[in-house]
Amino acid sequence: MQTQFITARRLGWLCAALYAAQLQAAPALPAKPVLGWQETNLTLQNGSVNVPIQWNMWWGTNGNQWQLLQNGVVVHSASLSPNGQNAQSGNKTVSVTAAGSYEYVVALCNVVGSERSCTQSDKRLITVTGSGDPGTPGGFDPWTQLNFAGWPKPLLQQNKPYQNTSNKMVGGYFVEWGIYGRNFHAYDIPAKNLTHLFYGFIPVCGANDALKRDNPQGYSALQAQCNGKPDYSVVVHDKWAALDKGYANDKWDQPIKGLFAEMYRLKKTNPHLKILPSVGGWTLSDPLYKVGTDAKARAVFVASVTDFIKTYDFFDGVDIDWEFPGGGGANDTLGSPQDGDGFVLLMKDLRTALNALSAKTGRTYQLTAAMSGGVEKLSRVNWEAAHPYMDYINLMTYDYYGAWNGTLGHMAGTYPNSNSPISGFSAEEAVKHLLARQVPANKVTIGAAMYGRGWKTVSGVKNGNPFTGTGGEGIAGSWEKGIEDYKKIESQLLGGPNGSGANGYTLYWDEQAKASYVWNPATTSLVSFDTPRSVKAKGELIRQYGLGGIFAWELDADNGQILNAMHQGLGHPQQ
């Protein structure tokens, strides 16, 4: 009896173990789904085209779920009811709003708990042609069908014509939101005096927590644009500004209007000008951390970028404004040591895609990146490996100091000052770092500021030198606290283009840093900014080191004086 009891108990254990093993085994693999017939060459109509995907599994092991993958990303998922070995089918219509190549795959799956077994269909490649995303019907050619009367536009404000005899970059950032409060439009851009125009900013779909926190309205606009698109795709941000706003030459039923239509006019009448979408920015960089370190996210992103610049073909490449690889951007929860090599992989994949696009179009596309002008952040990137893929590295040699804290220093200093509170915060230090990292000098550009940063209630000043004190809150600013446009500084704080100070402010010059500032001891207010004098000093540094040129943030804050000085610093003669 005892022996029989032990045997029965052991047999029970064995059965339980076998049952548990069955529960843990992978679900049965479904039979292979087959895609139905589909036209593989489609054309955008009124800015979009529907792609109907239909599939069948005629006989075999059933699945309980199916998924549709577009370019490797799941864009649809649905449950199924298994029915023995009988046929199963499904369908889904996907709306596409940009020209490009789209690869579709259906996966038939059995899902049990956390276990999944899937069988994929053969791949189906569908090519979508035409212009517009959204709002442009296929067949509309902006190069010939837009009204170009009155273009090119003359230079406005104090902009003077210069001849670029050095063949160096003279670039500027144009921001989409500048058409609102600043009332600065594409026709105000001094295109004749620019070699490069950077259009800011093009956002990336996905988690954008920094934008959600700092700009809820902008976040809502982005969510609307990303609806139906895979994460890590690039899209326009303000659709009304970019594609819908009517300008003087536009017709009410014109398929593409807004700033993008103006960009076509700008490019056609200034063919020398390179126009690049700047992807990212201070509050739009969150998804770039994933793009840099995740191969699947990067593949979606790169394909989306090339489709974007192919659709809106006034663009001449792409500018990446990832702030910042390794961390220290608007979202302080993001950043890792892997970002430095991730940036290299991003540059490599973008260059490969741009070269492939060039082979199809016959055009040359440039790849640039806006990078921190601080040595510490620059040091996190593997520049030895990254630079071969890039045309320019645009060093943001401004925003070194500002009213986000009380540390006082030159916000756009050209050279280090012996009393600078933070090492590595000057244009020359940033340049030397890249040159020491084997970056060719002609790929390095430095930035001029068309604005200033300032503090109120500066305390603890010694011997009349405000930089010995501690800054308080930021100056009021016309558009943002702590910041003021150069044109407003010139008129209100300098007393004109040749002024030495106004309204209690006095203009000073730091010979060591080659930097300008104004100080009002009565109100204890300090403003640090670039002047034509300091910008010319940056030009001298560029010529000294044989750099690739200079660019500025941002064009709507200038009255022409800073851009004129950019040319003068490079030795360009006035025409």
Side-chain angles (χ1 to χ4, degrees):
M1 290 292 296
Q2 184 67 22
T3 301
Q4 291 175 344
F5 172 74
I6 293 173
T7 302
R9 184 169 61 182
R10 287 179 176 174
L11 181 61
W13 288 344
L14 178 61
C15 290
L18 289 171
Y19 179 70
Q22 288 176 342
L23 289 178
Q24 295 174 359
L29 192 67
K32 183 177 179 178
V34 178
L35 292 175
W37 181 89
Q38 166 67 53
E39 175 61 52
T40 57
N41 293 291
L42 303 175
T43 302
L44 294 171
Q45 297 291 336
N46 295 320
S48 66
V49 63
N50 288 331
V51 182
I53 302 295
Q54 189 273 333
W55 64 271
N56 291 281
M57 189 281 293
W58 300 111
W59 179 260
T61 302
N62 279 206
N64 59 14
Q65 183 187 84
W66 76 277
Q67 296 180 330
L68 175 61
L69 288 78
Q70 177 182 277
N71 293 338
V73 177
V74 176
V75 294
H76 177 72
S77 182
S79 299
L80 293 168
S81 297
N83 185 21
Q85 298 286 304
N86 295 315
Q88 288 185 301
S89 64
N91 63 83
K92 173 65 177 177
T93 297
V94 181
S95 178
V96 171
T97 58
S101 297
Y102 297 84
E103 183 183 87
Y104 292 97
V105 172
V106 163
L108 182 58
C109 303
N110 260 322
V111 182
V112 178
S114 61
E115 299 294 323
R116 172 187 298 267
S117 294
C118 297
T119 302
Q120 291 192 344
S121 69
D122 292 333
K123 297 176 181 178
R124 170 73 49 75
L125 184 65
I126 294 177
T127 301
V128 177
T129 58
S131 297
D133 176 10
T136 304
F140 179 79
D141 181 8
W143 297 109
T144 60
Q145 292 180 253
L146 287 174
N147 182 354
F148 292 88
W151 291 76
K153 299 296 184 180
L155 294 173
L156 303 176
Q157 301 187 83
Q158 305 303 313
N159 287 285
K160 307 298 181 185
Y162 286 88
Q163 184 180 357
N164 190 334
T165 53
S166 70
N167 293 318
K168 294 183 182 296
M169 177 198 285
V170 180
Y173 276 82
F174 171 82
V175 296
E176 202 168 70
W177 60 88
I179 68 171
Y180 296 113
R182 288 182 171 91
N183 196 29
F184 190 91
H185 301 267
Y187 51 72
D188 294 305
I189 295 171
K192 184 175 182 179
N193 276 352
L194 297 171
T195 64
H196 289 71
L197 181 71
F198 302 99
Y199 186 104
F201 283 107
I202 300 302
V204 186
C205 296
N208 277 279
D209 293 339
L211 181 68
K212 184 177 182 180
R213 178 196 66 206
D214 295 344
N215 184 359
Q217 184 177 357
Y219 179 77
S220 296
L222 178 56
Q223 293 299 102
Q225 289 301 107
C226 290
N227 185 33
K229 299 180 177 65
D231 285 354
Y232 313 112
S233 300
V234 297
V235 293
V236 296
H237 195 178
D238 183 342
K239 179 178 177 291
W240 183 82
L243 294 166
D244 294 340
K245 175 178 168 58
Y247 282 96
N249 286 17
D250 293 331
K251 299 178 181 178
W252 70 270
D253 59 347
Q254 189 174 291
I256 178 172
K257 298 190 289 289
L259 287 171
F260 277 23
E262 295 283 89
M263 289 294 130
Y264 275 106
R265 297 179 176 113
L266 192 73
K267 176 69 177 179
K268 184 170 182 177
T269 57
N270 296 275
H272 73 280
L273 182 66
K274 300 293 185 183
I275 306 177
L276 280 71
S278 187
V279 179
W282 177 247
T283 56
L284 290 170
S285 285
D286 285 17
L288 293 176
Y289 290 90
K290 188 74 170 179
V291 166
T293 56
D294 184 278
K296 290 183 178 179
R298 189 164 57 252
V300 174
F301 175 80
V302 170
S304 175
V305 166
T306 53
D307 284 344
F308 192 80
I309 64 178
K310 184 167 58 174
T311 299
Y312 303 115
D313 55 357
F314 59 83
F315 285 126
D316 295 287
V318 64
D319 176 58
I320 300 297
D321 191 0
W322 176 359
E323 299 188 25
F324 299 97
N331 190 337
D332 57 11
T333 68
L334 298 176
S336 71
Q338 288 70 44
D339 293 342
D341 286 327
F343 181 84
V344 177
L345 294 173
L346 177 56
M347 294 299 107
K348 179 182 179 182
D349 290 354
L350 282 170
R351 172 51 64 198
T352 299
L354 292 175
N355 287 349
L357 183 59
S358 181
K360 295 179 180 178
T361 66
R363 295 174 56 189
T364 299
Y365 298 96
Q366 293 194 350
L367 175 58
T368 69
M371 304 300 299
S372 170
V375 171
E376 194 276 329
K377 284 188 173 69
L378 276 179
S379 67
R380 302 173 185 175
V381 173
N382 182 354
W383 289 112
E384 292 83 353
H387 80 76
Y389 305 111
M390 305 176 69
D391 291 283
Y392 292 103
I393 300 164
N394 298 333
L395 295 176
M396 295 184 284
T397 49
Y398 39 74
D399 292 343
Y400 288 127
Y401 300 90
W404 52 82
N405 61 31
T407 304
L408 300 179
H410 296 299
M411 88 100 177
T414 303
Y415 297 93
N417 184 298
S418 55
N419 296 318
S420 296
I422 302 176
S423 177
F425 271 17
S426 75
E428 185 186 46
E429 289 170 284
V431 166
K432 284 185 173 180
H433 178 80
L434 286 189
L435 298 184
R437 300 286 300 277
Q438 302 176 21
V439 177
N442 63 1
K443 291 189 175 186
V444 180
T445 70
I446 61 175
M450 292 175 165
Y451 64 98
R453 289 188 176 273
W455 302 258
K456 297 193 297 185
T457 60
V458 175
S459 60
V461 174
K462 299 176 183 178
N463 301 320
N465 179 0
F467 292 102
T468 61
T470 300
E473 63 178 323
I475 58 174
S478 295
W479 314 106
E480 183 179 347
K481 189 174 182 179
I483 301 175
E484 189 56 272
D485 292 353
Y486 172 78
K487 55 190 174 187
K488 183 71 172 289
I489 293 173
E490 182 186 274
S491 64
Q492 299 295 315
L493 307 186
L494 298 181
N498 299 312
S500 59
N503 295 315
Y505 287 90
T506 301
L507 176 64
Y508 293 90
W509 175 254
D510 184 328
E511 180 61 29
Q512 188 176 10
K514 305 293 185 187
S516 301
Y517 63 97
V518 291
W519 166 240
N520 186 332
T523 61
T524 61
S525 297
L526 170 68
V527 184
S528 172
F529 56 102
D530 262 335
T531 57
R533 185 178 183 182
S534 65
V535 170
K536 291 174 189 177
K538 289 184 175 180
E540 293 172 1
L541 183 145
I542 290 167
R543 290 193 282 175
Q544 176 187 351
Y545 287 96
L547 305 183
I550 190 168
F551 67 96
W553 175 273
E554 56 183 288
L555 290 171
D556 56 26
D558 189 25
N559 59 8
Q561 302 287 16
I562 298 299
L563 183 54
N564 290 343
M566 291 162 64
H567 281 280
Q568 293 163 12
L570 296 177
H572 296 164
Q574 186 173 328
Q575 291 180 332

